[in-house]
Amino acid sequence: MSVLIKPIITEKMTADSELFNRYGFYVNPTANKLQIKEAVETTYGVSVEKVRTMNYGPNRRTRYTKTGIQHGKTNMRKKAIVDVAEGDIIDFYSNL
């Protein structure tokens, strides 16, 4: 089971990466900060200074159909914001 699921590539995270050397990742909900730090360092070859995590609960939705009321929810997600050392960069767009 891998710790990193996928990087967050949005306009806000791209601006953070250019200005403050911060990168965002969706991570496994059971992973802790030490596991996230180790995974980023081994995957991208950078040195991580700080890791911040956020847990997002599921979004619950109700649909009204002709068979009755349907209840559903999305999956829980965990985000990690990783501060990288000065001079190190992570290039998500390179084709290696």
Side-chain angles (χ1 to χ4, degrees):
M1 183 161 71
S2 67
V3 175
L4 299 177
I5 296 174
K6 66 179 180 177
I8 301 172
I9 301 175
T10 60
E11 191 172 342
K12 187 174 183 178
M13 281 311 306
T14 304
D16 258 3
S17 66
E18 291 172 356
L19 296 175
F20 303 113
N21 255 5
R22 292 184 196 143
Y23 298 92
F25 295 94
Y26 287 115
V27 296
N28 189 343
T30 60
N32 60 25
K33 292 183 180 185
L34 296 175
Q35 292 171 337
I36 295 167
K37 178 180 178 178
E38 184 179 325
V40 171
E41 286 178 345
T42 56
T43 304
Y44 295 104
V46 295
S47 58
V48 174
E49 292 181 346
K50 188 176 184 181
V51 177
R52 287 169 291 187
T53 59
M54 297 169 271
N55 286 313
Y56 284 95
N59 293 330
R60 300 185 192 286
R61 296 193 175 121
T62 304
R63 285 182 301 206
Y64 299 98
T65 63
K66 61 184 172 184
T67 59
I69 298 175
Q70 301 290 320
H71 298 285
K73 67 179 183 71
T74 60
N75 291 333
M76 189 198 118
R77 292 189 292 181
K78 186 173 189 176
K79 289 182 184 180
I81 307 298
V82 176
D83 286 359
V84 178
E86 193 68 36
D88 289 344
I89 60 167
I90 298 175
D91 189 15
F92 295 129
Y93 303 108
S94 67
N95 295 327
L96 295 178

